[in-house]
Each structure stands twice: as structure tokens, then as C-alpha cells.
Amino acid sequence: GRVGKRKVINKVCNEDYSVAVFAGGQIFMDYFGIPVYRYVNLLARKNIPVVFNACGFGEIKSNLMLRLFKSALNKKNVYKISMRDSVKRIEKLLTNQNKEKLVKSYDVGLWAKDVYGIDVNNKTDIIGIGVISTPKTSHLVYDQIRNIIVELNARKLKWQLFCNGSINDFKMAIRIASSLDYDSTVVASRPQSPRELVELISSFKSIISFRLHSHIIAASLNTPSIALSWDNKLDQFFESIGFSNRCVNINSNHKDIIDLLIESERVGCNRELIEYQKNESLRVLYESVNGVL
């Protein structure tokens, strides 16, 4: 409950730190508004510098949450804010004297291959189909993936359904498989850890998927991927890696999606750009932290 969460935040902030780092991810959304505000406020009382690293901007519908984020980000102890996307949206929340805190960075998930020491030469000839289950996309995902499977079968291409780890996503994959008279063997085991997810995606020759981090991991592994966009964070990521055309509308024609996948396998990924973004994300983090130590 809220009281329990507040106690956890209080306990964490009672410790002494040289610097506190929000490690990244889509932090700027309604769900995290109150905890982010509390963390920054408590750390400000102890004058502990705060760094927001490679963050993303999600959906903020609540004016209250918007005000809380604005208050938190403009605190004197917030030293640096680096964003993987939506830099201009965050800039609007900052006062003029605080805009210099804001810098562009890239998702640190691009380091996945290196962090887990993954051998990228262990790929199979299987195409991974990443599943998502959210209230606003479920019926679209269900129909689209069924169409994609039928098309892959017609072209005699091997495939496997997978999820990023969400129970609901996994259940959706099982439901789709069952609707086409397949048993659960066509669904990859649900990853129980980040390492398992990275290892799973490393086994595919390419992927078609909905979840952003399946694509970030794929880019890290030099695995071509096609995104079915349900959130502009996907569009922004594919624009950043130089392949905007590989992020398509969730309702796109399934045959066109497979054509695009085959073309992406032929062209491959832009390793030079990925390496630049990895190094830049590390440089920004080091500079942010070293600046206050």
C-alpha cells in the first residue's frame, strides 16, 4: 500500500549517498509521479545530488503528476537529466535557469550483449514474434499476430512466440497459439530474468515485436527487428537507430510486414551507429556522476 511504499522511500533516503541516480527507463509517467517527487524531495533535504539517467517520457494524463514532476526536476539538488527520448517534452517542465541540466542520451539497454557476454553467433533460423497484452491493444495484437503466423507458414518460415516476461503477455501468446490449434511448444518459456530474455532474443535470426526493450535488446545483439507501433517511444527509438521504416503501424498489412522483415535481414543493422550510442550513453553517465563527486 501507499504507507508501505512511503516507508520504503523514507528508509532508502535515510542513508548517506554521494549521488543518487535514477538508472533509466520510462520514469516520467503518471505511475511514478509521486515516488519520484518523494525521493527527490527527501534527498534535497540532505542536499544529495540527483541524476536522472537515460530516461523516457511516458503518458502523463494527470495535471497533479505533471506539477509533481515539474517541482521535482527543478530542485537545486537535481544535477543532470539525460533523456533517451522526448527531450523537448521534459524541457517544457524546466525553468529557464534549469534547462542546462538537460542532455540527450540513449537507452543503456544497448549494452545488453556486453553486460551478459552473449555470443551473437548462436542464432537459429527462427523468427521471434514478440507478444504484448494491454487493454488498448489486445484485440489488435491478437488479430495481427494470427495473420503474421499464417503468412510465415505460407512462406515456410520458422517462427516462435515469445514475451519479455510479463505474465499477461505470456498468457496472450498461449491464447494465440491455441486459437490456431498449436500447443504451448510454439511459445518460448517465459523469461524469469533479464539475462534469460537477452539469451532468448539472441537465439532468433530476427524478430517482429511490440515491446520496446525487445527491440533495444535486438539492436544490441545485431538482430534485425520490425516494430508494430502502439506507443511513440517505439517510433523514436527506430528513428534514433536510423531505421524509421522498420517501425510500422499496428494495423499494417501482414504480408508487407514479412516483406519488410526479409529486407531488414538482408540489410542488417547499423553497428557503427549502435556503438556510437552505447559509448555516448556511457560518457553522459560518467560525466553526470563525476560532475558531482
Side-chain angles (χ1 to χ4, degrees):
R2 286 186 179 180
V3 175
K5 289 178 182 176
R6 187 176 296 177
K7 283 183 178 178
V8 169
I9 293 172
N10 289 345
K11 184 178 179 182
V12 170
C13 292
N14 266 339
E15 303 290 329
D16 285 322
Y17 308 101
S18 299
V19 59
V21 180
F22 285 87
Q26 198 172 33
I27 283 176
F28 299 113
M29 56 189 293
D30 283 333
Y31 183 79
F32 295 115
I34 291 173
V36 165
Y37 175 78
R38 285 183 177 150
Y39 273 116
V40 174
N41 251 6
L42 290 172
L43 292 167
R45 292 177 190 175
K46 300 176 71 175
N47 208 25
I48 294 172
V50 170
V51 169
F52 287 90
N53 181 60
C55 294
F57 200 113
E59 192 171 56
I60 303 179
K61 291 181 177 179
S62 164
N63 286 329
L64 170 61
M65 297 305 161
L66 207 57
R67 289 198 300 273
L68 291 180
F69 277 124
K70 187 170 184 177
S71 173
L73 293 175
N74 286 289
K75 292 285 183 187
K76 287 183 179 180
N77 64 317
V78 175
Y79 175 74
K80 194 70 71 177
I81 306 161
S82 71
M83 299 292 295
R84 73 178 187 199
D85 59 50
S86 306
V87 174
K88 289 183 179 178
R89 291 178 72 186
I90 282 290
E91 188 177 33
K92 290 178 181 177
L93 300 182
L94 298 173
T95 59
N96 286 334
Q97 65 265 35
N98 286 320
K99 291 187 190 302
E100 62 184 25
K101 297 177 179 180
L102 183 60
V103 293
K104 169 67 179 167
S105 188
Y106 302 94
D107 199 292
V108 293
L110 291 171
W111 283 94
K113 175 180 73 71
D114 305 82
V115 168
Y116 295 113
I118 304 295
D119 183 353
V120 295
N121 297 313
N122 287 336
K123 296 186 191 301
T124 62
D125 59 350
I126 297 172
I127 295 165
I129 307 174
V131 179
I132 190 173
S133 177
T134 68
K136 66 179 181 181
T137 62
S138 285
H139 64 291
L140 299 171
V141 172
Y142 181 84
D143 292 339
Q144 183 64 278
I145 291 181
R146 281 168 49 92
N147 289 334
I148 286 170
I149 289 172
V150 170
E151 183 62 23
L152 289 172
N153 287 343
R155 300 194 195 197
K156 295 182 167 53
L157 295 169
K158 295 180 182 178
W159 54 271
Q160 186 176 42
L161 296 170
F162 76 95
C163 72
N164 276 23
S166 160
I167 295 266
N168 288 336
D169 291 2
F170 185 69
K171 287 179 179 176
M172 167 72 92
I174 296 291
R175 186 159 73 91
I176 291 169
S178 177
S179 75
L180 293 168
D181 294 326
Y182 289 102
D183 61 26
S184 59
T185 57
V186 301
V187 181
S189 297
R190 185 173 72 86
Q192 302 291 313
S193 67
R195 175 183 286 278
E196 286 185 15
L197 175 60
V198 177
E199 288 176 345
L200 173 61
I201 292 175
S202 76
S203 70
F204 299 129
K205 70 170 179 176
S206 59
I207 68 169
I208 300 168
S209 186
F210 295 83
R211 291 274 184 202
L212 173 63
H213 274 91
S214 62
H215 295 290
I216 294 171
I217 291 167
S220 169
L221 296 163
N222 204 29
T223 300
S225 69
I226 304 300
L228 300 177
S229 180
W230 57 280
D231 188 302
N232 65 6
K233 62 186 177 182
L234 285 150
D235 303 80
Q236 291 184 62
F237 174 69
F238 276 83
E239 183 180 351
S240 77
I241 62 170
F243 287 111
S244 294
N245 65 312
R246 295 184 185 178
C247 184
V248 300
N249 188 281
I250 196 170
N251 292 314
S252 295
N253 181 276
H254 52 283
K255 293 182 179 181
D256 293 341
I257 292 169
I258 307 306
D259 287 342
L260 185 58
L261 181 70
I262 292 169
E263 174 65 9
S264 73
E265 290 175 355
R266 186 187 68 79
V267 173
C269 303
N270 188 336
R271 289 314 309 164
E272 189 176 327
L273 183 56
I274 297 298
E275 288 302 317
Y276 164 78
Q277 293 185 6
K278 284 167 58 180
N279 293 328
E280 188 66 4
S281 69
L282 202 57
R283 183 193 67 78
V284 170
L285 175 59
Y286 281 161
E287 282 193 3
S288 299
V289 173
N290 287 335
V292 293
L293 292 179

